[in-house]
Amino acid sequence: MPSPSIVLVPCLTDNYCALLHAPSTGETLAIDAPQAAPIKAAMSARGWRLSDILVTHHHNDHTGGCQELKDFYGCSIAGPDVESERMPTLTRGVTEASKLTFAGHEVRVIETPGHTLGHVSYYIPHLAAVFTGDTLFALGCGRIFEGDAATMFASLQKLAALPDDTAVYCGHEYTLANARFAMSVEPENRTLAARVKDIEAKRAAGEPTLPTSIGLEKATNPFLRPHSTAIRARLGMAFAPDWQVFARLRELKNKA
Ligand code: ZN
Ligand code: FE
């Protein structure tokens, strides 16, 4: 049975919708629906029909296309149960206990609060892929709007515990700006410096910088590296707990 393929659809200014299509069953799944038109165009160009949407969190730049896509395809829409009152288009609320499948493959819900209180990520072991919305970005992490730094850090640690070869699909193309910040706090990281060159080339060619991988993020993303001696030295926080170094990095990034 061929594995489902994954297509990234750019939406709005810098959002992505990830489409997963399973040739074996004809099903197509969207992770987040920022905007209906580009998603419909990507579907019809391939002759696909949308069967399901999985939403990571309630923000409009991840849900704005839901109603129109539901009306057009009659698809089901699942999203965090905690935020269901803020998302009237949901047909199912999910938690970490939910049993979801796509084309016969398990889809695990990972609760990753911090950006919003109900934010979830979706992990598909068969594809070795995780969809992290606005929690983990390539070289960055989401702003903490509804949770606190300790909550967000715990969520990122859950994602970092996935296998290193897990492909990471996030909700935005923020990688270049994130790269500049990462270089400002850990310029001595050679893996990071090499990655930044690669990112610059990809963006210059108009290509997405995604997916990334858990292993690459652990090696280069400052928000997963609060233990780094170089970062700690730069922040003057040699002996602080990891989550406090993380909180300081998030504050600095907000001001960058
Ligand atoms: Zn958001
Ligand atoms: Fe967003």
Side-chain angles (χ1 to χ4, degrees), residues 57 59 62 115 134:
H57 65 295
H59 286 160
H62 298 255
H115 177 69
D134 286 359

Side-chain angles (χ1 to χ4, degrees), residues 174-218:
Y174 287 160
T175 316
L176 198 54
N178 288 343
R180 300 208 167 107
F181 176 75
M183 284 297 281
S184 76
V185 292
E186 199 180 19
E188 47 281 274
N189 182 334
R190 289 183 182 194
T191 312
L192 171 62
R195 186 180 178 193
V196 173
K197 288 215 166 67
D198 178 56
I199 287 162
E200 285 168 346
K202 282 201 170 111
R203 290 315 287 157
E207 290 168 18
T209 59
L210 304 178
T212 170
S213 72
I214 291 293
L216 186 56
E217 291 311 311
K218 287 194 322 202

Side-chain angles (χ1 to χ4, degrees), residues 2-248:
S3 275
S5 48
I6 303 178
V7 172
L8 280 174
V9 183
C11 295
L12 303 171
T13 331
D14 50 34
N15 281 80
Y16 284 120
C17 158
L19 290 178
L20 283 68
H21 179 74
S24 55
T25 63
E27 288 169 278
T28 305
L29 164 70
I31 311 286
D32 285 334
Q35 192 185 11
I39 296 174
K40 277 170 143 175
M43 300 283 299
S44 68
R46 295 170 175 82
W48 296 351
R49 280 194 61 80
L50 195 60
S51 33
D52 300 274
I53 301 172
L54 295 179
V55 169
T56 58
H57 65 295
H58 68 82
H59 286 160
N60 196 54
D61 65 309
H62 298 255
T63 58
C66 283
Q67 187 65 54
E68 190 179 331
L69 293 167
K70 190 181 178 184
D71 291 345
F72 191 77
Y73 294 105
C75 57
S76 66
I77 307 181
D81 194 46
V82 176
E83 299 179 354
S84 55
E85 281 181 17
R86 303 171 83 159
M87 292 185 283
T89 54
L90 285 197
T91 55
R92 178 177 179 185
V94 299
T95 68
E96 245 168 34
S98 301
K99 301 254 180 274
L100 299 181
T101 58
F102 172 67
H105 301 301
E106 178 192 16
V107 179
R108 254 180 243 169
V109 179
I110 305 176
E111 291 168 5
T112 48
H115 177 69
T116 66
L117 285 178
H119 192 296
V120 297
S121 299
Y122 297 98
Y123 173 49
I124 306 182
H126 173 77
L127 292 180
V130 67
F131 300 86
T132 60
D134 286 359
T135 297
L136 175 62
F137 291 130
L139 288 178
C141 75
R143 279 181 187 254
I144 302 165
F145 286 125
E146 295 178 11
D148 56 27
T151 304
M152 186 65 158
F153 185 59
S155 293
L156 289 168
Q157 292 298 107
K158 271 178 160 177
L159 296 170
L162 294 172
D164 279 356
D165 64 357
T166 307
V168 178
Y169 292 84
C170 16
H172 290 268
E173 180 61 64
Y174 287 160
T175 316
L176 198 54
N178 288 343
R180 300 208 167 107
F181 176 75
M183 284 297 281
S184 76
V185 292
E186 199 180 19
E188 47 281 274
N189 182 334
R190 289 183 182 194
T191 312
L192 171 62
R195 186 180 178 193
V196 173
K197 288 215 166 67
D198 178 56
I199 287 162
E200 285 168 346
K202 282 201 170 111
R203 290 315 287 157
E207 290 168 18
T209 59
L210 304 178
T212 170
S213 72
I214 291 293
L216 186 56
E217 291 311 311
K218 287 194 322 202
T220 54
N221 184 329
F223 298 97
L224 298 184
R225 301 178 54 73
H227 52 274
S228 152
T229 315
I231 291 178
R232 287 171 165 263
R234 193 154 282 106
L235 302 188
M237 297 180 79
F239 303 107
D242 281 351
W243 77 268
Q244 283 181 10
V245 177
F246 165 78
R248 182 75 188 124

